[in-house]
Amino acid sequence: MLRRSLLATPGLLLAAPLRAQAPLPLVASFSILADIAREVGGDRLRIRSIVGPDQDSHGFQPRPSDAEALRGARVVVQNGLGFDNWMRRMREAANWQGRVITATTGIAPIEMDAHHHGHGHSHGGAGNRRVPDPHVWQDARHVGRMAQNIADGLAAADAPNAAGYRERAGAYVARMEALDAWVRAQVATVPAERRRVITSHDAFGYFARSYGVEFLAPQGVSAHSEPSAAQVANLIRQIRERQITAVFMDNVSNPATLNRLATEAGVRIRGRLYADALSRADGPAPNIEAMFRHNLGLMLPAMRGEA
Ligand code: ZN
């Protein structure tokens, strides 16, 4: 403070650099987006994830403390594709006017039949209504695209640091491309007819499409939906007939349905995949790269039928 007071024009010399170094407050709707934002923004951002580690974003109910965090933010990162509509409702309720980044912009979604896959709420006889599968982050190249979208939004919100955001996003995209190649190489070590996995809810549609692993789930694209008795019976029949050995819970679904299914089918649950949320920092999937490595590390021996 003494040195500052000795300068002839402290306001001009000091105010701009100090303001430039204050971190930009950003709210992400869930932990996956917070991780990508951290990669792109580094210490330029002060990030808060509304839905935390190991928590379910489907049908999330914001708390007053979440609205408070939103009011203090200048940037919001949301997933879109119906995954986090509660964020839009919260913004509208608060009349929030900052920059909104929709991370999935430009990614062609998988369309699903809302009725067949269960969507967690009633559509009033909407029949075959199609809904987008929101779980795009289970394809590593999509994660790269999300990083670029976040970098574009941050560059617009914080122009003096635009080059830094783009540079960091570019480096992260390269890491995601390497991760994508690694996942493909790992899956290729499993015989094609063994590439089948049962999970709690239908969170791996993009992984399935991109990496050639078939996923079957008793619950639909929302972890809240409940399967019918006929759906459970059909899955049990498939497990037996196709000798499926890779059966996993995920970290956001209630395990009761899968436990019942595994007991009735006479198969062992092989652990817990990270689907819609990361783990805490001291867990096995504190970031997206660790999530892919953890999930593959469990899936590969289980698909092969190893003990
Ligand atoms: Zn989900």
Side-chain angles (χ1 to χ4, degrees):
M1 293 308 288
L2 184 62
R3 288 170 64 87
R4 188 182 299 181
S5 68
L6 293 173
L7 292 167
T9 52
L12 286 176
L13 289 174
L14 291 172
L18 283 179
R19 193 170 56 238
Q21 281 164 11
L24 190 67
L26 177 149
V27 160
S29 56
F30 73 120
S31 54
I32 297 277
L33 298 181
D35 183 48
I36 303 172
R38 194 172 296 111
E39 292 285 353
V40 174
D43 57 11
R44 282 295 309 134
L45 306 178
R46 179 161 53 79
I47 299 169
R48 170 166 169 147
S49 179
I50 298 289
V51 179
D54 293 320
Q55 291 184 342
D56 183 11
S57 298
H58 296 287
F60 177 75
Q61 299 287 340
R63 302 147 293 197
S65 60
D66 299 323
E68 186 63 36
L70 175 67
R71 277 193 288 275
R74 280 184 51 206
V75 178
V76 158
V77 183
Q78 62 186 20
N79 188 73
L81 302 179
F83 186 67
D84 46 10
N85 287 340
W86 46 265
M87 181 67 98
R88 176 177 46 77
R89 291 194 293 270
M90 196 163 63
R91 284 193 280 106
E92 287 170 359
N95 193 28
W96 187 81
Q97 299 293 334
R99 178 162 297 270
V100 178
I101 302 172
T102 300
T104 58
T105 298
I107 296 174
I110 296 173
E111 297 282 334
M112 312 184 80
D113 177 14
H115 177 70
H116 175 75
H117 289 275
H119 191 50
H121 58 93
S122 166
H123 294 297
N128 265 354
R129 203 173 78 90
R130 304 289 284 173
V131 295
D133 180 347
H135 305 88
V136 295
W137 57 87
Q138 292 294 348
D139 174 327
R141 288 166 310 167
H142 288 167
V143 175
R145 176 62 194 261
M146 295 161 91
Q148 287 172 322
N149 287 338
I150 290 172
D152 288 345
L154 289 174
D158 181 21
N161 291 292
Y165 296 130
R166 295 227 161 84
E167 191 177 319
R168 293 180 64 101
Y172 187 63
V173 167
R175 274 159 57 200
M176 285 300 117
E177 285 170 357
L179 180 66
D180 180 80
W182 178 83
V183 172
R184 288 170 197 279
Q186 293 294 307
V187 171
T189 66
V190 178
E193 71 278 8
R194 302 289 315 162
R195 295 177 197 160
R196 298 192 186 105
V197 175
I198 308 269
T199 50
S200 307
H201 92 284
D202 211 345
F204 292 90
Y206 294 87
F207 191 105
R209 183 175 69 176
S210 299
Y211 304 124
V213 174
E214 183 182 359
F215 283 80
L216 302 164
Q219 291 169 282
V221 289
S222 163
H224 288 287
S225 61
E226 280 301 318
S228 68
Q231 286 170 318
V232 171
N234 177 47
L235 265 181
I236 290 170
R237 185 177 53 75
Q238 294 211 52
I239 290 171
R240 288 180 177 149
E241 287 181 4
R242 304 168 78 188
Q243 300 182 327
I244 298 173
T245 49
V247 181
F248 293 98
M249 302 192 197
D250 73 50
N251 68 324
V252 300
S253 300
N254 183 327
T257 302
L258 198 77
N259 275 324
R260 183 161 52 87
L261 178 84
T263 300
E264 289 183 33
V267 291
R268 183 165 64 88
I269 295 173
R270 300 290 195 122
R272 201 165 74 140
L273 301 181
Y274 285 81
D276 293 13
L278 299 173
S279 71
R280 295 185 183 283
D282 59 355
N287 59 63
I288 292 170
E289 284 165 309
M291 176 186 77
F292 273 94
R293 293 185 188 280
H294 169 86
N295 287 350
L296 265 293
L298 289 180
M299 283 162 47
L300 294 168
M303 288 193 288
R304 292 191 197 104
E306 294 168 12

